[in-house]
Amino acid sequence: MANPYTKHRIRKITRRFGIRALRSGTVASFYRENAIIQVQTKMGTYALKPFFRNALLRTSTVHQMKTTAAYLELLMNSGFTYMPKWLTTRSGKLWTLHRERPFYMTEWIKGRNLEKNEDFEELGRALATLHTTSSGILDTKGPSTHNQIRIWKIQDRLFRRRMNKAIQNHERNRKWYKIYGKYCKRLTDRAWANLNSPEVVDLLKKEANRPALIHNDITSPNVIISENGQLFIIDWDRVKVGSIYVDLAKALMNTTQFNPDFILALLKGYEERRPLDQTERKLISSLYGLPREAWHATQFPHESRSREMLDILKKTWDPRLKAMDLIDEWTKSIPKEIEVVNEITD
């Protein structure tokens, strides 16, 4: 596929942000070939990013870009420091429209990936800061954990139907289903039981009155430790009002590689700024245990990526189970001082 971002087009867009591009080149992501344009100038290096519509939402691309920019302005005005500096256009906006596609620019963060316990502690602090900062500045209610659970229950039902059909008709992935499908069913059955417990149901009702912004895509490539040691979270295209518990559970799954030290470090950093009571821990543990990768991998069984994802699941199955046991133990080992604080606040 030809690169759609010619030098002329890039220079025309960057000029709107007061930037004169000297050199530029595209960088691929896991999902897109030309995901980011790296722009070099006399003043430094910047990231020019096209904004793509979230197909799960019914709103237009421009509406989604406006909403994203509004959330980011709230965070910047509240002093949130864990994201790159966003550039403004000459008209003062955080984005511009070119050929019906929104674009935005940020500083380019050069650095390394998450490597040490200290990195994961800082990621935990960054997430907790995002969740607590935004909960005090929003004046709207948004989708909560309950909404996400409803979607995941639909995915679980579809997974079970595909599994039964594949086993009966000797379809592709039949062997994988026969070995691991029953374990996926056990994991989800246990999670649904925990999520239906009275204390968790009560927590989810209260959550609706405490809206917060979530990044919604915390993965290893989206977290960078800069050359001066500062942690940055990048790629804020999917920021939204949502469940902080889902955000944390997905971050644990997508960054720690099932490493016990990294898992505990991330949770430690998070609780330094936002302590979690036993019910919240139980909720996070239940969400972490859901086999979401299996649901996605089996959705399109004839695609090569599906086979690759199932192979990864097979290779990492034992570490996954051990990580789930670790988080279960963490759920039960809540410090006394947190219990006292929660009793006072209740």
Side-chain angles (χ1 to χ4, degrees):
M1 179 180 175
N3 184 357
Y5 304 115
T6 63
K7 290 182 179 179
H8 175 73
R9 187 182 185 192
I10 292 169
R11 287 172 180 168
K12 189 171 183 178
I13 297 171
T14 55
R15 279 199 296 267
R16 298 180 187 179
F17 291 90
I19 296 295
R20 183 182 177 186
L22 299 178
R23 291 181 299 278
S24 60
T26 58
V27 179
S29 71
F30 186 75
Y31 299 103
R32 298 186 186 278
E33 184 179 353
N34 302 305
I36 308 171
I37 302 120
Q38 186 185 60
V39 179
Q40 296 181 3
T41 73
K42 288 183 178 180
M43 298 181 292
T45 305
Y46 297 89
L48 174 64
K49 197 166 186 299
F51 182 90
F52 291 91
R53 175 178 174 271
N54 184 348
L56 297 177
L57 303 177
R58 297 180 180 178
T59 52
S60 68
T61 305
V62 170
H63 182 274
Q64 290 181 23
M65 181 72 254
K66 287 180 179 179
T67 302
T68 298
Y71 289 152
L72 291 168
E73 285 182 346
L74 282 175
L75 288 174
M76 286 186 287
N77 292 337
S78 64
F80 184 75
T81 59
Y82 289 99
M83 61 183 176
K85 178 183 177 183
W86 283 59
L87 277 63
T88 55
T89 64
R90 289 194 170 96
S91 62
K93 295 197 305 182
L94 292 179
W95 61 282
T96 188
L97 196 65
H98 188 260
R99 297 184 186 173
E100 300 183 354
R101 171 74 60 196
F103 288 83
Y104 63 86
M105 289 194 74
T106 70
E107 60 180 335
W108 184 273
I109 305 300
K110 184 179 180 182
R112 59 175 175 83
N113 296 327
L114 297 161
E115 297 174 353
K116 303 178 290 186
N117 288 354
E118 292 80 2
D119 299 337
F120 286 91
E121 283 189 26
E122 188 63 9
L123 175 57
R125 295 185 195 101
L127 269 178
T129 303
L130 168 64
H131 297 160
T132 54
T133 298
S134 59
S135 66
I137 58 178
L138 293 172
D139 57 359
T140 181
K141 293 184 180 181
S144 61
T145 308
H146 179 78
N147 300 69
Q148 183 62 71
I149 290 172
R150 179 174 53 81
I151 295 171
W152 282 342
K153 283 187 174 180
I154 294 172
Q155 293 176 347
D156 179 37
R157 287 197 295 271
L158 293 174
F159 171 80
R160 295 178 190 231
R161 290 176 190 170
R162 287 192 293 267
M163 178 172 62
N164 292 334
K165 181 180 177 182
I167 291 175
Q168 291 172 7
N169 300 334
H170 298 268
E171 292 184 3
R172 189 176 182 180
N173 300 331
R174 176 175 181 264
K175 185 176 179 181
W176 188 93
Y177 278 123
K178 291 192 74 172
I179 296 173
Y180 297 98
K182 60 182 179 182
Y183 294 113
C184 291
K185 288 174 63 176
R186 289 177 189 172
L187 291 172
T188 50
D189 287 343
R190 184 175 69 171
W192 300 147
N194 288 335
L195 294 170
N196 286 329
S197 64
E199 63 271 21
V200 172
V201 171
D202 184 58
L203 171 62
L204 297 184
K205 289 179 181 177
K206 293 177 180 177
E207 180 194 19
N209 297 318
R210 300 192 295 263
L213 290 176
I214 64 171
H215 180 274
N216 202 33
D217 192 22
I218 298 291
T219 59
S220 294
N222 284 342
V223 183
I224 300 174
I225 309 298
S226 70
E227 292 179 327
N228 66 0
Q230 184 177 351
L231 184 143
F232 287 94
I233 301 173
I234 63 172
D235 198 358
W236 288 80
D237 293 36
R238 298 294 174 254
V239 62
K240 68 174 186 176
V241 179
S243 166
I244 63 173
Y245 307 112
V246 170
D247 212 29
L248 179 54
K250 288 168 71 173
L252 287 166
M253 180 62 73
N254 295 337
T255 65
T256 61
Q257 301 130 32
F258 315 110
N259 182 311
D261 293 334
F262 293 166
I263 291 171
L264 294 176
L266 198 158
L267 291 169
K268 177 185 175 184
Y270 190 93
E271 291 201 282
E272 283 181 10
R273 298 193 176 171
R274 192 192 181 284
L276 298 161
D277 64 30
Q278 194 163 22
T279 303
E280 290 177 307
R281 289 186 174 199
K282 181 178 180 179
L283 173 56
I284 292 164
S285 176
S286 301
L287 297 174
Y288 181 85
L290 291 170
R292 295 181 296 107
E293 290 91 340
W295 298 342
H296 294 308
T298 56
Q299 189 173 1
F300 303 103
H302 298 291
E303 292 186 1
S304 59
R305 187 164 167 237
S306 172
R307 187 70 259 169
E308 293 171 3
M309 292 177 69
L310 291 178
D311 287 341
I312 292 172
L313 276 167
K314 187 188 301 183
K315 292 175 182 177
T316 60
W317 192 257
D318 287 340
R320 285 168 183 266
L321 295 182
K322 290 178 181 177
M324 292 175 194
D325 290 340
L326 176 72
I327 295 179
D328 278 343
E329 288 301 313
W330 166 76
T331 299
K332 303 167 188 173
S333 61
I334 186 165
K336 290 293 182 183
E337 58 269 23
I338 293 180
E339 290 182 347
V340 171
V341 169
N342 288 331
E343 287 175 5
I344 293 173
T345 55
D346 287 344

